[in-house]
Amino acid sequence: SDLVRKVLGPSEQRIVAAPSLAAELKAPILPADLSRLPALGLGPMQRDHAWTLHGPDGAGVRIPYKPRLVTDDMSQLLYAATEGVGVAQLPTIVANAALAAGRLVDLLPQWTPPPGEVQAVFPTRRGLLPSVRSFIDFLADNYTAETAEQALRRA
């Protein structure tokens, strides 16, 4: 491929659900409890879906699930989760506004999926406009999850 990618930084993830869906589980919620709730998947449809979670004291667990909805659209996944369609794994910067507003709850704050990556992807460096190169350099120098979250709030 002629595409180049530049990693900007990590993207922390959360397992979230609408409060009405979370109410079906008794506190404290454990990773195994997730299998009792409907699930949502991000990405292409695949045979096996599973959440990999890291918890206290370095513990790890893999929770298989069968999603009732699979999409490659992050905004659709967020909408479905806030409407109570199922449990979803979402980047923290995508879920934070809904979490703060009480439209989502973090089901397992002590158990988190491995972080993703935020990347800038662009055509080969040859022939890249100087303004585009400057913008990519700016992103690389200034990206943090905090600044990305602030930008999402302004959008």
Side-chain angles (χ1 to χ4, degrees):
S1 167
D2 288 340
L3 295 178
V4 176
R5 75 179 180 99
K6 178 149 186 86
V7 176
L8 302 178
S11 173
E12 299 300 320
Q13 307 282 308
R14 297 282 177 259
I15 301 293
V16 298
S20 59
L21 198 57
E24 295 181 23
L25 300 175
K26 292 183 182 178
I29 299 172
L30 302 173
D33 294 332
L34 294 178
S35 62
R36 298 196 337 243
L37 295 175
L40 308 171
L42 179 67
M45 189 62 180
Q46 32 190 2
R47 181 183 304 181
D48 298 316
H49 291 267
W51 288 305
T52 301
L53 304 173
H54 301 287
D57 300 322
V61 66
R62 185 175 185 274
I63 307 293
Y65 67 95
K66 292 190 185 293
R68 65 169 23 171
L69 170 73
V70 177
T71 180
D72 62 359
D73 183 335
M74 189 73 65
S75 60
Q76 183 65 38
L77 190 66
L78 173 64
Y79 178 77
T82 59
E83 292 299 311
V85 177
V87 175
Q89 176 179 324
L90 287 170
T92 300
I93 61 173
V94 171
N96 265 352
L99 288 164
R103 292 180 293 132
L104 286 177
V105 294
D106 189 343
L107 290 178
L108 299 163
Q110 301 298 316
W111 292 84
T112 57
E117 280 185 340
V118 175
Q119 304 173 3
V121 180
F122 49 95
T124 180
R125 288 184 175 100
R126 279 181 268 137
L128 197 61
L129 293 172
S131 58
V132 175
R133 174 85 258 158
S134 293
F135 180 65
I136 293 167
D137 290 342
F138 173 81
L139 289 175
D141 292 342
N142 293 287
Y143 173 82
T144 66
E146 200 171 289
T147 56
E149 183 178 337
Q150 291 169 355
L152 282 175
R153 278 195 221 127
R154 285 192 300 265

